[in-house]
Amino acid sequence: YGRYGMDLNGSRRKNATRETTATLKAWLSEHKKNPYPTKGEKIMLAIITKMTLTQVSTWFANARRRLKKENKMTWEPKNRNDD
């Protein structure tokens, strides 16, 4: 990303809003035992949150990392590659 919050297409990069993260957090809390949404679930969440699939995937990767850091991990770690 450029220095001014532009993405590679030159459009402004929007940060996730509270409503957006609330949707993602709700999904996460319902799937604590397996916090890896399927492609279909990611697509659905992307549509609801008006985010891209990449943004949704990244958010989940970061969320899992945060949970792990807080030792709130309740799932078996998966391979790095099947995210």
Side-chain angles (χ1 to χ4, degrees):
Y1 291 119
R3 268 206 309 223
Y4 305 104
M6 302 295 235
D7 69 14
L8 299 170
N9 314 319
S11 55
R12 283 275 295 129
R13 185 171 165 271
K14 292 220 317 292
N15 284 330
T17 63
R18 218 162 286 214
E19 300 84 83
T20 302
T21 51
T23 305
L24 299 174
K25 280 176 182 162
W27 190 97
L28 193 61
S29 69
E30 282 168 35
H31 299 81
K32 277 211 164 71
K33 287 264 176 278
N34 183 29
Y36 297 85
T38 63
K39 185 118 195 221
E41 288 169 321
K42 284 182 191 173
I43 291 168
M44 180 194 74
L45 289 163
I47 292 166
I48 297 169
T49 58
K50 299 187 175 67
M51 285 163 76
T52 65
L53 207 52
T54 307
Q55 287 172 317
V56 172
S57 300
T58 303
W59 188 91
F60 275 101
N62 291 336
R64 288 191 296 268
R65 198 169 297 126
R66 283 191 294 269
L67 289 170
K68 203 165 149 184
K69 214 159 94 188
E70 297 162 14
N71 283 321
K72 292 189 183 143
M73 211 173 143
T74 56
W75 68 93
E76 280 299 306
K78 276 188 152 182
N79 292 339
R80 299 302 276 139
N81 303 337
D82 48 61
D83 199 17

CSV table of all heavy atoms in Angstrom, one decimal, residues 27 31-39 41-42 60-61 64-65 68 73-83:
chain,number,residue,atom,x,y,z
A,27,TRP,N,-19.2,-13.9,13.7
A,27,TRP,CA,-18.9,-15.2,13.1
A,27,TRP,C,-17.8,-15.9,13.9
A,27,TRP,O,-18.0,-17.1,14.2
A,27,TRP,CB,-18.5,-15.0,11.6
A,27,TRP,CG,-18.4,-16.3,10.9
A,27,TRP,CD1,-19.4,-16.8,10.1
A,27,TRP,CD2,-17.3,-17.3,10.9
A,27,TRP,NE1,-19.0,-18.0,9.6
A,27,TRP,CE2,-17.7,-18.3,10.1
A,27,TRP,CE3,-16.1,-17.3,11.6
A,27,TRP,CZ2,-16.9,-19.5,9.9
A,27,TRP,CZ3,-15.3,-18.4,11.4
A,27,TRP,CH2,-15.7,-19.5,10.5
A,31,HIS,N,-17.7,-19.6,16.0
A,31,HIS,CA,-16.8,-20.7,15.4
A,31,HIS,C,-15.5,-20.8,16.1
A,31,HIS,O,-14.5,-21.0,15.5
A,31,HIS,CB,-16.6,-20.5,13.9
A,31,HIS,CG,-17.9,-20.5,13.1
A,31,HIS,ND1,-18.7,-19.4,13.1
A,31,HIS,CD2,-18.5,-21.5,12.4
A,31,HIS,CE1,-19.8,-19.7,12.3
A,31,HIS,NE2,-19.7,-21.0,11.9
A,32,LYS,N,-15.5,-20.5,17.4
A,32,LYS,CA,-14.2,-20.5,18.2
A,32,LYS,C,-13.4,-21.8,18.0
A,32,LYS,O,-12.2,-21.8,18.0
A,32,LYS,CB,-14.5,-20.2,19.6
A,32,LYS,CG,-14.6,-18.7,19.9
A,32,LYS,CD,-14.1,-18.4,21.3
A,32,LYS,CE,-13.9,-16.9,21.5
A,32,LYS,NZ,-15.1,-16.2,21.5
A,33,LYS,N,-14.1,-22.9,17.9
A,33,LYS,CA,-13.4,-24.2,17.8
A,33,LYS,C,-12.8,-24.4,16.4
A,33,LYS,O,-11.9,-25.2,16.3
A,33,LYS,CB,-14.4,-25.4,18.1
A,33,LYS,CG,-14.9,-25.5,19.5
A,33,LYS,CD,-14.0,-26.5,20.3
A,33,LYS,CE,-14.3,-26.6,21.7
A,33,LYS,NZ,-13.7,-25.6,22.5
A,34,ASN,N,-13.3,-23.7,15.4
A,34,ASN,CA,-12.7,-23.8,14.1
A,34,ASN,C,-12.8,-22.5,13.4
A,34,ASN,O,-13.7,-22.3,12.6
A,34,ASN,CB,-13.3,-25.0,13.3
A,34,ASN,CG,-12.7,-25.2,12.0
A,34,ASN,OD1,-11.5,-24.9,11.8
A,34,ASN,ND2,-13.5,-25.6,11.0
A,35,PRO,N,-12.0,-21.5,13.7
A,35,PRO,CA,-12.1,-20.2,13.2
A,35,PRO,C,-11.6,-20.0,11.8
A,35,PRO,O,-10.9,-19.0,11.4
A,35,PRO,CB,-11.3,-19.3,14.2
A,35,PRO,CG,-10.2,-20.3,14.6
A,35,PRO,CD,-10.8,-21.7,14.6
A,36,TYR,N,-11.9,-21.0,10.9
A,36,TYR,CA,-11.5,-20.9,9.5
A,36,TYR,C,-12.7,-21.0,8.6
A,36,TYR,O,-13.2,-22.1,8.3
A,36,TYR,CB,-10.5,-22.1,9.2
A,36,TYR,CG,-9.2,-22.1,10.0
A,36,TYR,CD1,-9.2,-22.7,11.3
A,36,TYR,CD2,-8.1,-21.5,9.5
A,36,TYR,CE1,-8.0,-22.7,12.0
A,36,TYR,CE2,-6.9,-21.5,10.2
A,36,TYR,CZ,-6.9,-22.1,11.5
A,36,TYR,OH,-5.7,-22.1,12.2
A,37,PRO,N,-13.2,-19.8,8.2
A,37,PRO,CA,-14.4,-19.8,7.3
A,37,PRO,C,-14.0,-20.5,6.0
A,37,PRO,O,-12.9,-20.4,5.5
A,37,PRO,CB,-14.7,-18.4,7.1
A,37,PRO,CG,-13.5,-17.6,7.6
A,37,PRO,CD,-12.7,-18.5,8.5
A,38,THR,N,-15.0,-21.2,5.4
A,38,THR,CA,-14.8,-21.8,4.1
A,38,THR,C,-14.8,-20.7,3.1
A,38,THR,O,-15.2,-19.5,3.4
A,38,THR,CB,-15.9,-22.8,3.8
A,38,THR,OG1,-17.2,-22.0,3.8
A,38,THR,CG2,-16.0,-23.9,4.8
A,39,LYS,N,-14.5,-21.0,1.9
A,39,LYS,CA,-14.5,-20.0,0.8
A,39,LYS,C,-15.9,-19.4,0.7
A,39,LYS,O,-16.1,-18.2,0.6
A,39,LYS,CB,-14.1,-20.6,-0.5
A,39,LYS,CG,-14.0,-19.6,-1.7
A,39,LYS,CD,-12.6,-19.5,-2.2
A,39,LYS,CE,-12.4,-18.3,-3.1
A,39,LYS,NZ,-11.6,-18.6,-4.3
A,41,GLU,N,-18.2,-19.2,3.0
A,41,GLU,CA,-18.5,-18.3,4.1
A,41,GLU,C,-17.8,-17.0,4.0
A,41,GLU,O,-18.4,-16.0,4.3
A,41,GLU,CB,-18.1,-19.0,5.4
A,41,GLU,CG,-19.0,-20.2,5.8
A,41,GLU,CD,-18.5,-21.1,6.9
A,41,GLU,OE1,-17.2,-21.4,7.0
A,41,GLU,OE2,-19.3,-21.5,7.8
A,42,LYS,N,-16.6,-17.0,3.5
A,42,LYS,CA,-15.8,-15.8,3.3
A,42,LYS,C,-16.5,-14.9,2.3
A,42,LYS,O,-16.6,-13.7,2.5
A,42,LYS,CB,-14.4,-16.1,2.8
A,42,LYS,CG,-13.5,-16.5,3.9
A,42,LYS,CD,-12.1,-16.7,3.4
A,42,LYS,CE,-11.2,-17.4,4.4
A,42,LYS,NZ,-9.9,-17.8,3.8
A,60,PHE,N,-9.4,-12.4,9.3
A,60,PHE,CA,-9.5,-13.6,10.0
A,60,PHE,C,-8.1,-14.1,10.4
A,60,PHE,O,-7.9,-14.5,11.6
A,60,PHE,CB,-10.2,-14.7,9.3
A,60,PHE,CG,-11.7,-14.7,9.5
A,60,PHE,CD1,-12.5,-14.1,8.5
A,60,PHE,CD2,-12.3,-15.1,10.7
A,60,PHE,CE1,-13.9,-14.0,8.8
A,60,PHE,CE2,-13.7,-15.0,10.9
A,60,PHE,CZ,-14.5,-14.5,9.9
A,61,ALA,N,-7.1,-14.0,9.5
A,61,ALA,CA,-5.8,-14.3,9.9
A,61,ALA,C,-5.3,-13.5,11.0
A,61,ALA,O,-4.7,-14.0,12.0
A,61,ALA,CB,-4.9,-14.1,8.6
A,64,ARG,N,-7.1,-14.5,14.3
A,64,ARG,CA,-6.6,-15.7,14.9
A,64,ARG,C,-5.3,-15.4,15.6
A,64,ARG,O,-5.0,-15.9,16.7
A,64,ARG,CB,-6.4,-16.8,13.8
A,64,ARG,CG,-7.8,-17.4,13.4
A,64,ARG,CD,-7.6,-18.6,12.5
A,64,ARG,NE,-6.8,-18.3,11.3
A,64,ARG,CZ,-7.4,-18.0,10.1
A,64,ARG,NH1,-8.7,-17.9,10.0
A,64,ARG,NH2,-6.7,-17.8,9.0
A,65,ARG,N,-4.5,-14.6,15.0
A,65,ARG,CA,-3.2,-14.2,15.6
A,65,ARG,C,-3.4,-13.5,16.9
A,65,ARG,O,-2.7,-13.8,17.9
A,65,ARG,CB,-2.4,-13.4,14.6
A,65,ARG,CG,-0.9,-13.3,14.9
A,65,ARG,CD,-0.1,-12.7,13.8
A,65,ARG,NE,-0.2,-13.4,12.5
A,65,ARG,CZ,-0.6,-12.9,11.4
A,65,ARG,NH1,-0.9,-11.7,11.2
A,65,ARG,NH2,-0.7,-13.7,10.3
A,68,LYS,N,-4.5,-15.9,19.5
A,68,LYS,CA,-3.4,-16.8,19.9
A,68,LYS,C,-2.5,-16.0,20.9
A,68,LYS,O,-2.0,-16.6,21.9
A,68,LYS,CB,-2.6,-17.1,18.7
A,68,LYS,CG,-1.8,-18.4,18.7
A,68,LYS,CD,-1.3,-18.8,17.3
A,68,LYS,CE,0.0,-19.5,17.4
A,68,LYS,NZ,0.5,-19.8,16.0
A,73,MET,N,-6.7,-19.4,22.4
A,73,MET,CA,-6.8,-20.3,21.2
A,73,MET,C,-7.5,-21.6,21.7
A,73,MET,O,-7.1,-22.2,22.6
A,73,MET,CB,-5.3,-20.6,20.8
A,73,MET,CG,-5.2,-20.9,19.4
A,73,MET,SD,-3.5,-21.1,19.0
A,73,MET,CE,-3.6,-22.4,17.8
A,74,THR,N,-8.6,-21.9,21.0
A,74,THR,CA,-9.3,-23.1,21.4
A,74,THR,C,-9.4,-24.1,20.2
A,74,THR,O,-10.2,-25.0,20.2
A,74,THR,CB,-10.8,-22.7,21.8
A,74,THR,OG1,-11.4,-22.0,20.7
A,74,THR,CG2,-10.8,-21.8,23.0
A,75,TRP,N,-8.6,-23.8,19.2
A,75,TRP,CA,-8.6,-24.7,18.0
A,75,TRP,C,-7.3,-25.3,17.7
A,75,TRP,O,-6.3,-24.9,18.3
A,75,TRP,CB,-9.1,-23.9,16.8
A,75,TRP,CG,-8.1,-22.9,16.3
A,75,TRP,CD1,-7.1,-23.0,15.4
A,75,TRP,CD2,-7.9,-21.5,16.8
A,75,TRP,NE1,-6.4,-21.9,15.3
A,75,TRP,CE2,-6.9,-20.9,16.1
A,75,TRP,CE3,-8.6,-20.8,17.8
A,75,TRP,CZ2,-6.5,-19.6,16.4
A,75,TRP,CZ3,-8.2,-19.5,18.0
A,75,TRP,CH2,-7.2,-18.9,17.3
A,76,GLU,N,-7.3,-26.4,16.9
A,76,GLU,CA,-6.0,-27.0,16.5
A,76,GLU,C,-5.4,-26.1,15.4
A,76,GLU,O,-6.1,-25.8,14.4
A,76,GLU,CB,-6.3,-28.4,15.9
A,76,GLU,CG,-6.5,-29.4,17.0
A,76,GLU,CD,-5.2,-29.6,17.9
A,76,GLU,OE1,-4.1,-29.8,17.3
A,76,GLU,OE2,-5.3,-29.5,19.1
A,77,PRO,N,-4.2,-25.8,15.5
A,77,PRO,CA,-3.6,-24.9,14.4
A,77,PRO,C,-3.6,-25.7,13.1
A,77,PRO,O,-3.4,-26.9,13.0
A,77,PRO,CB,-2.1,-24.8,14.8
A,77,PRO,CG,-2.0,-25.2,16.2
A,77,PRO,CD,-3.2,-26.1,16.5
A,78,LYS,N,-3.9,-25.0,12.0
A,78,LYS,CA,-4.0,-25.6,10.7
A,78,LYS,C,-2.7,-25.3,9.9
A,78,LYS,O,-1.9,-24.5,10.4
A,78,LYS,CB,-5.2,-25.0,9.9
A,78,LYS,CG,-6.5,-25.6,10.2
A,78,LYS,CD,-7.5,-25.1,9.2
A,78,LYS,CE,-8.6,-26.0,8.9
A,78,LYS,NZ,-9.5,-25.4,7.9
A,79,ASN,N,-2.6,-25.9,8.8
A,79,ASN,CA,-1.4,-25.6,7.9
A,79,ASN,C,-1.5,-24.1,7.5
A,79,ASN,O,-2.6,-23.6,7.3
A,79,ASN,CB,-1.4,-26.4,6.7
A,79,ASN,CG,-1.1,-27.8,7.0
A,79,ASN,OD1,-0.6,-28.1,8.1
A,79,ASN,ND2,-1.5,-28.7,6.1
A,80,ARG,N,-0.4,-23.4,7.4
A,80,ARG,CA,-0.4,-22.0,7.0
A,80,ARG,C,-1.1,-21.9,5.6
A,80,ARG,O,-1.6,-20.9,5.3
A,80,ARG,CB,1.1,-21.5,6.8
A,80,ARG,CG,1.9,-21.6,8.1
A,80,ARG,CD,1.3,-20.7,9.2
A,80,ARG,NE,1.7,-19.3,9.2
A,80,ARG,CZ,0.8,-18.4,9.5
A,80,ARG,NH1,-0.5,-18.7,9.7
A,80,ARG,NH2,1.1,-17.1,9.4
A,81,ASN,N,-1.0,-22.9,4.8
A,81,ASN,CA,-1.4,-22.8,3.4
A,81,ASN,C,-2.8,-22.9,3.1
A,81,ASN,O,-3.3,-22.6,2.1
A,81,ASN,CB,-0.6,-23.8,2.5
A,81,ASN,CG,0.9,-23.7,2.7
A,81,ASN,OD1,1.3,-22.6,3.1
A,81,ASN,ND2,1.6,-24.7,2.5
A,82,ASP,N,-3.6,-23.5,4.0
A,82,ASP,CA,-5.0,-23.7,3.6
A,82,ASP,C,-5.9,-22.6,4.0
A,82,ASP,O,-7.1,-22.8,4.2
A,82,ASP,CB,-5.6,-25.1,3.9
A,82,ASP,CG,-5.3,-25.5,5.3
A,82,ASP,OD1,-5.8,-24.9,6.2
A,82,ASP,OD2,-4.7,-26.5,5.5
A,83,ASP,N,-5.4,-21.4,4.2
A,83,ASP,CA,-6.2,-20.3,4.6
A,83,ASP,C,-6.8,-19.7,3.3
A,83,ASP,O,-6.1,-19.2,2.5
A,83,ASP,CB,-5.4,-19.2,5.3
A,83,ASP,CG,-6.3,-18.3,6.1
A,83,ASP,OD1,-7.4,-18.6,6.3
A,83,ASP,OD2,-5.8,-17.2,6.4
